[in-house]
Amino acid sequence: MKILVPIKRVVDPYTKVRPLGDGSGLDTEGAKFEINPFDEIAVEEAVRLREKHGSVEIVAVSIGTSASEEQLRKALAMGADKAILIESDLAFDTLDIANELSVIAKEIRPDLIIMGKQATDDDSNQVGQMLAAKLDWPQATYASKIEVTGGSVDVTRETDDGDETLRLATPCVLTTDLRLNEPRYIGLPGIIKARSKPLEKRTPSQSPNPKTRYTLFQAPPAREAGRKLSGVSELVAVLKERGAL
Amino acid sequence: MSKLLLVAFSASEAPLGVGFAKALGFPFDILCFGEAPSADLGAELIKVVAITELPPADAIARIIAGQANGYTTLASASSMHAKDAMARVAGVLDAAMVTDVVEVVSPTEFKRPIVAGSVLATVEVLASPLVATFRPSAFRSTNRSGNSPVETLTVDLTSKVERISHSKRGGARPDLSQARVVVSGGRPLKDASTFETIIGGLADALGGAAGATRAAVDSGIAANELQVGQTGKIVAPNLYIAAGISGSTQHMAGIKDSKIIVAINKDADAPIFEFADYGIVADLFDAVPELTRLVKS
Ligand SMILES: Cc1cc2nc3c(=O)[nH]c(=O)nc-3n(C[C@H](O)[C@H](O)[C@H](O)COP(=O)(O)OP(=O)(O)OC[C@H]3O[C@@H](n4cnc5c(N)ncnc54)[C@H](O)[C@@H]3O)c2cc1C
Ligand SMILES: Nc1ncnc2c1ncn2[C@@H]1O[C@H](COP(=O)(O)O)[C@@H](O)[C@H]1O
């Protein structure tokens, strides 16, 4: 079995990010960058599938600047066999990313693509579904459990009002929810050891042709801190006064 | 001429799009899955896909994409099934997509929250058609008039995916994303039955929905679909009560548009007090049952 795991380099989700003063971008000076948490879960799931089923080849792929090599190294340290960096300084929108990933998927011909349900920087929640459409493969988004049996995959996924289990034939695209698994800890020695694994750099298959473009970044309207109340009876009085009870 | 196709995944979702359609300023049709929605929403035409259960995303996306001709924008209220299907529609149509619109600046410029709501970004759309999801709480609209004709579509529901089980929870409480009151609990709620008694008890007394943090969901205290935040549900009730919740960026991303936020936390320095309109520094195991009693009496 072959699994392709697309990963994105994102600003550490525990860092507070603000817009630059002139609104032209995000102030990430000094911030740490990580594998998108959902993608780290995808790598972990792929590694667990190998631990369970044996003979699984895992290829991690990222589209981004040379800095994304760091995140691909981490994926290799977690257990990916091979990494591909599609290196570019240009702006790709979600559709461009899906296009680029579909080219790689057609070349590598994975049985499964496991990827994040959303990138924690743009919060788009689009690329997996777009990629599945471009490949005309079935999809199961927001997976909280993945079981592979023979030529099919059972995926338990979250819906708006509960859970459902879908059975998909391979090849298919799965996107991960936070509760799918808890990624293993990889220390620096593991990352250094992974330096001997292959990381191939390429240029994009075509230049991006974004159909959406970010033009302004602003601070959201601030919520002011209110006041502390003496206790529950004062709260009830205040809420009644405001017509909320 | 510019035109909007408002996609509703159930009849009750259809009215949620009226405010967005107004903000966009385009005439619109509704494509509704399930039963026909009320005819007074102001649509030029209502197209109905008469089904009792939504098929998997590949089939829904094919049906929606098949109706796309003639529309400048295809949009639906943000929800998990909307994001699942609409992004696939964008893939099928090779179309631009914007998720979670909270403001229409112009028909080609939209504002949306990014990085867990820490930043409000303006996105310019450079191609047509556009596929979008919008947060209904940002586009409230009440006045309704009109009497739209209804057309029932014959569609192909085949999917490459087989649904082998579906558990619908929910129960008697209102839908979290639509509720006017939400009571949420965090990690200190210990276990599912404590959560149900304490948080569920107050929610029921207020006729509201129960919500939870990811920490509570992860430790099995609350059901998955109750998670509120960046990666869970977005809520915008009149009253949000957070008990035993620290106020992480990811949780706050889901509750920012609530009208009144009340925090009950025993740590006076908990970050949630920086956002809450009213705070009580107290043990939730005392304060919440007391509040429930006072509300009931
Ligand atoms: C990519 C990513 C996405 C995430 N998405 C979400 C999301 O969508 N939603 C979400 O909620 N989280 C999300 N998180 C997790 C988030 O970062 C926090 O870890 C989580 O919200 C913390 O939950 P909590 O407030 O219940 O727990 P804690 O942070 O542990 O806070 C518990 C609070 O309860 C108080 N307390 C303890 N005992 C009592 C008592 N007896 N009475 C009163 N107060 C008490 C404590 O003082 C503390 O402030 C995400 C994280 C990541 C990395
Ligand atoms: N630049 C990228 N390189 C590789 N994968 C990406 C990239 N951007 C997004 N993805 C994948 O698409 C998923 C969803 O991202 P998004 O639709 O942007 O929220 C991520 O979790 C990644 O798996």
Side-chain angles (χ1 to χ4, degrees):
Chain A
M1 186 165 60
K2 221 186 239 183
I3 305 178
L4 180 65
V5 186
I7 67 174
K8 186 180 188 188
R9 172 184 167 93
V10 299
V11 64
D12 172 16
Y14 294 106
T15 315
K16 178 91 190 132
V17 177
R18 290 191 174 77
L20 289 169
D22 65 359
S24 64
L26 300 179
D27 183 0
T28 52
E29 174 122 0
K32 272 200 306 173
F33 282 80
E34 305 280 1
I35 297 189
N36 176 36
F38 293 95
D39 304 347
E40 195 178 349
I41 290 168
V43 178
E44 175 68 30
E45 194 65 17
V47 175
R48 289 187 190 186
L49 286 171
R50 179 172 59 210
E51 286 163 357
K52 194 162 167 206
H53 298 280
S55 109
V56 170
E57 189 192 352
I58 304 166
V59 182
V61 56
S62 189
I63 299 147
T65 65
S66 59
S68 300
E69 192 177 328
E70 187 188 343
Q71 281 63 45
L72 287 172
R73 289 283 170 212
K74 174 143 190 219
L76 291 170
M78 288 177 72
D81 299 293
K82 182 182 160 191
I84 302 172
L85 173 59
I86 300 173
E87 198 177 338
S88 174
D89 296 333
L90 299 172
F92 284 65
D93 74 359
T94 44
L95 205 58
D96 290 323
I97 298 284
N99 273 327
E100 211 51 57
L101 292 175
S102 74
V103 171
I104 286 283
K106 281 176 191 152
E107 176 192 318
I108 295 191
R109 301 158 58 90
D111 301 282
L112 293 178
I113 299 179
I114 310 182
M115 56 201 289
K117 77 165 180 183
Q118 82 192 60
T120 55
D121 54 359
D122 65 39
D123 284 332
S124 290
N125 195 332
Q126 295 175 8
V127 174
Q129 297 91 311
M130 287 174 168
L131 175 60
K134 293 201 170 293
L135 295 166
D136 197 20
W137 291 2
Q139 75 188 46
T141 50
Y142 325 141
S144 55
K145 192 170 167 204
I146 296 174
E147 266 178 304
V148 178
T149 34
S152 73
V153 192
D154 286 358
V155 179
T156 302
R157 63 182 297 273
E158 195 183 340
T159 63
D160 290 288
D161 56 5
D163 283 336
E164 66 179 8
T165 302
L166 302 180
R167 181 163 293 166
L168 295 86
T170 57
C172 58
V173 176
L174 313 180
T175 77
T176 63
D177 208 338
L178 283 177
R179 47 198 143 259
L180 179 60
N181 63 49
E182 184 107 28
R184 65 199 62 198
Y185 175 77
I186 303 292
L188 194 58
I191 295 174
I192 290 169
K193 232 176 85 191
R195 285 205 181 131
S196 58
K197 288 190 178 175
L199 190 153
E200 181 198 333
K201 292 188 184 178
R202 309 187 174 186
T203 50
S205 67
Q206 58 186 81
S207 36
N209 177 24
K211 292 181 172 169
T212 55
R213 176 170 72 195
Y214 286 93
T215 53
L216 181 65
F217 299 84
Q218 295 167 296
R223 262 201 102 97
E224 309 264 305
R227 54 191 174 104
K228 292 218 174 91
L229 307 176
S230 60
V232 174
S233 7
E234 192 186 358
L235 176 66
V236 171
V238 167
L239 292 179
K240 278 198 174 135
E241 198 184 295
R242 291 198 52 180
L245 279 188
Chain B
M1 204 186 69
S2 299
K3 194 160 186 187
L4 165 68
L5 181 65
L6 207 54
V7 180
F9 294 93
S10 68
S12 63
E13 266 186 27
L16 302 177
V18 176
F20 176 78
K22 258 190 201 126
L24 195 63
F26 295 171
F28 67 100
D29 293 345
I30 296 175
L31 171 62
C32 189
F33 290 84
E35 291 162 30
S38 33
D40 61 355
L41 298 173
E44 293 192 341
L45 175 66
I46 295 176
K47 305 180 190 185
V48 177
V49 179
I51 46 166
T52 48
E53 191 177 26
L54 282 176
D58 56 336
I60 309 181
R62 190 186 53 236
I63 293 166
I64 299 170
Q67 297 295 321
N69 208 349
Y71 298 100
T72 333
T73 309
L74 291 84
S76 76
S78 289
S79 65
M80 299 190 91
H81 52 243
K83 289 177 183 176
D84 186 34
M86 295 301 270
R88 188 164 176 126
V89 172
V92 172
L93 298 173
D94 202 36
M97 178 159 186
V98 181
T99 303
D100 282 338
V101 171
V102 295
E103 189 183 328
V104 176
V105 181
S106 80
T108 55
E109 283 169 295
F110 303 89
K111 288 192 186 181
R112 61 177 300 261
I114 59 168
V115 229
S118 308
V119 175
L120 195 58
T122 304
V123 191
E124 187 184 0
V125 178
L126 309 161
S128 177
L130 164 69
V131 177
T133 61
F134 54 85
R135 295 222 178 137
S137 57
F139 300 97
R140 291 216 160 98
S141 170
T142 46
N143 57 337
R144 296 157 57 146
S145 66
N147 189 11
S148 324
V150 178
E151 177 188 309
T152 303
L153 303 179
T154 314
V155 297
D156 169 14
L157 291 167
T158 52
S159 165
K160 289 188 180 173
V161 176
E162 183 194 349
R163 181 180 282 129
I164 52 183
S165 69
H166 191 183
S167 72
K168 271 204 176 127
R169 277 185 285 263
R173 294 192 187 122
D175 176 37
L176 195 48
S177 351
Q178 303 302 324
R180 293 181 54 77
V181 176
V182 175
V183 183
S184 286
R187 198 191 311 265
L189 268 306
K190 289 194 211 132
D191 53 43
S193 80
T194 311
F195 180 89
E196 187 44 40
T197 313
I198 306 270
I199 301 298
L202 180 56
D204 289 343
L206 292 166
T213 63
R214 177 189 167 203
V217 169
D218 276 356
S219 26
I221 295 170
N224 292 346
E225 69 270 17
L226 298 192
Q227 182 179 319
V228 172
Q230 179 194 15
T231 55
K233 302 251 155 65
I234 306 295
V235 302
N238 209 19
L239 176 62
Y240 188 85
I241 302 179
I245 292 178
S246 59
S248 65
T249 313
Q250 291 86 10
H251 188 75
M252 299 315 294
I255 72 168
K256 274 190 184 159
D257 297 325
S258 309
K259 192 150 168 243
I260 301 174
I261 297 177
V262 173
I264 300 172
N265 196 302
K266 68 176 181 189
D267 173 9
D269 296 324
I272 188 131
F273 288 124
E274 291 165 32
F275 305 94
D277 299 276
Y278 305 110
I280 300 179
V281 182
D283 191 317
L284 76 91
F285 294 104
D286 302 327
V288 177
E290 189 189 341
L291 183 55
T292 308
R293 266 195 309 277
L294 287 178
V295 169
K296 279 185 177 162
S297 66

